[in-house]
DNA sequence: TTGCTCCTCACGTCACGTGAGGTGGC
DNA sequence: TTGCTCCTCACGTCACGTGAGGTGGC
């Protein structure tokens, strides 16, 4: 459970995922926000934010039952969405969130270089799949629609 | 329910999705195959094929309960997987499968040009997302891991 | 009889969507 | 009182995964 490392040089096998600015995605620097406001802010649904919370990714304030999202909660949301974009599951993200606790600078997700590499590989494969699909759909769209039309006179 | 069209020139707003060869993906020209054999052939699980069948996408032969996949069934599987790669849902694919009934050449999926265009747009958006994610992960991987390391001396 | 493949339920998973029914403040 | 947002169940969706329990032919 203890992680003994050099006190000066941090673990080089660990990458800390951060957002450039705590709230890079918006100019909104309000102290507190409701679910629907925060959801709106990040282009997700209130349901999604409640769901992330139920999975332990988020812990907003409460005021008589109602959720209130502080700046740090919103920074956390930004990190979650970034990790999701990277293709990580909510379970993986939860672990990355938990692992940020010991980190002094606060808002950042712990990610091993190994896992980073693996994720790049995974996304690269996805990329190829999508590129192939687009190419084929374009070819089909360009071609005459009917399969018995003479295709030989057309370039793919 | 009736589709009245020019009898000579087929509907130009319809694209027929086909596989280049009935069984392009394999050199296996056996008459009949079991679930696990067919699944193996296409790199999917037997469960997936049974699931597609339960959704009305597939109708293999039966021999005393056991499923037997003819060449046309396997050609159908190839079409389904192609459509899946294009990003269509099984529900959409089912409709495309149903719409192939009136088509004389048999194995092909009906797809409107409009929907084809929309799908290309959708995949293009996906592509950008994935490309951005890869770029950012690569940047992070290249950079020194710690957020308090001096990044200014490194190019992204 | 053992081993292998096949089968049909049927519940689990992942990331939410979608009502249902109820509360709180202007 | 009406209207709006908030809340908590809890079931639905999509594309399968994963046993559970049973059958059939070599």
């Amino acid at each position: 459970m203890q992680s003994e490392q050099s006190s000066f040089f941090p673990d080089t096998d660990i990458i800390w995922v951060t957002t450039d600015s705590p709230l890079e995605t918006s100019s909104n620097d309000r102290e507190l926000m409701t679910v629907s406001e925060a959801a709106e802010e990040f282009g997700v649904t209130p349901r999604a934010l409640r769901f992330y919370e139920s999975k332990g990714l988020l812990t907003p304030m409460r005021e008589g039952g109602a959720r209130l999202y502080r700046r740090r909660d919103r920074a956390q949301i930004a990190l979650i969405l970034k990790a999701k974009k990277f293709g990580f599951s909510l379970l993986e993200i939860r672990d990355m969130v938990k692992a940020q606790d010991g980190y002094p600078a606060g808002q950042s997700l712990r990610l091993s270089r190994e896992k980073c590499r693996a994720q790049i590989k995974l996304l690269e494969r996805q990329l190829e799949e999508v590129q192939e699909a687009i190419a084929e759909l374009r070819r089909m769209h360009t071609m005459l629609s009917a399969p018995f039309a003479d295709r030989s006179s057309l370039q793919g």
Side-chain angles (χ1 to χ4, degrees), chain A:
Chain A
M1 275 304 162
Q2 58 171 342
S3 66
E4 207 90 63
Q5 299 172 8
S6 160
S7 57
F8 189 78
F9 292 110
D11 189 345
T12 338
D13 280 348
I14 297 300
I15 292 168
W16 293 96
V17 181
T18 61
T19 50
D20 298 349
S21 128
L23 254 69
E24 59 180 355
T25 51
S26 88
S27 53
N28 205 329
D29 57 352
R30 288 173 46 203
E31 200 60 58
L32 299 173
M33 291 175 66
T34 66
V35 225
S36 55
E37 286 169 341
E40 166 94 277
E41 191 74 5
F42 290 98
V44 299
T45 64
R47 169 62 175 144
L49 295 184
R50 295 193 189 104
F51 186 69
Y52 298 158
E53 185 178 345
S54 79
K55 295 298 175 184
L57 309 193
L58 228 41
T59 318
M61 272 181 63
R62 293 282 187 156
E63 197 179 65
R67 274 164 263 251
L68 285 178
Y69 296 79
R70 293 153 292 187
R71 285 183 196 148
R72 44 169 307 213
D73 298 315
R74 279 128 66 197
Q76 188 88 318
I77 296 173
L79 284 176
I80 293 169
L81 296 180
K82 193 164 191 172
K84 263 179 68 74
K85 194 176 163 183
F86 288 162
F88 292 113
S89 72
L90 294 188
L91 212 77
E92 291 174 307
I93 298 175
R94 193 197 56 187
D95 291 342
M96 294 162 78
V97 164
K98 298 290 179 194
Q100 86 183 333
D101 288 348
Y103 183 66
Q107 241 66 34
S108 50
L109 298 181
R110 188 195 181 91
L111 173 60
S112 76
R113 305 197 124 230
E114 187 47 42
K115 197 152 196 183
C116 185
R117 268 191 292 275
Q119 206 66 17
I120 291 174
K121 285 287 173 201
L122 195 149
L123 290 180
E124 279 171 343
R125 258 169 270 148
Q126 262 189 44
L127 188 72
E128 278 183 53
E129 284 270 299
V130 177
Q131 281 174 333
E132 278 176 32
I134 292 176
E136 203 155 344
L137 274 172
R138 282 211 186 108
R139 222 182 307 141
M140 284 173 33
H141 191 264
T142 307
M143 259 192 306
L144 286 182
S145 316
F148 30 84
D150 187 5
R151 284 185 176 97
S152 59
S153 59
L154 297 161
Q155 61 254 37

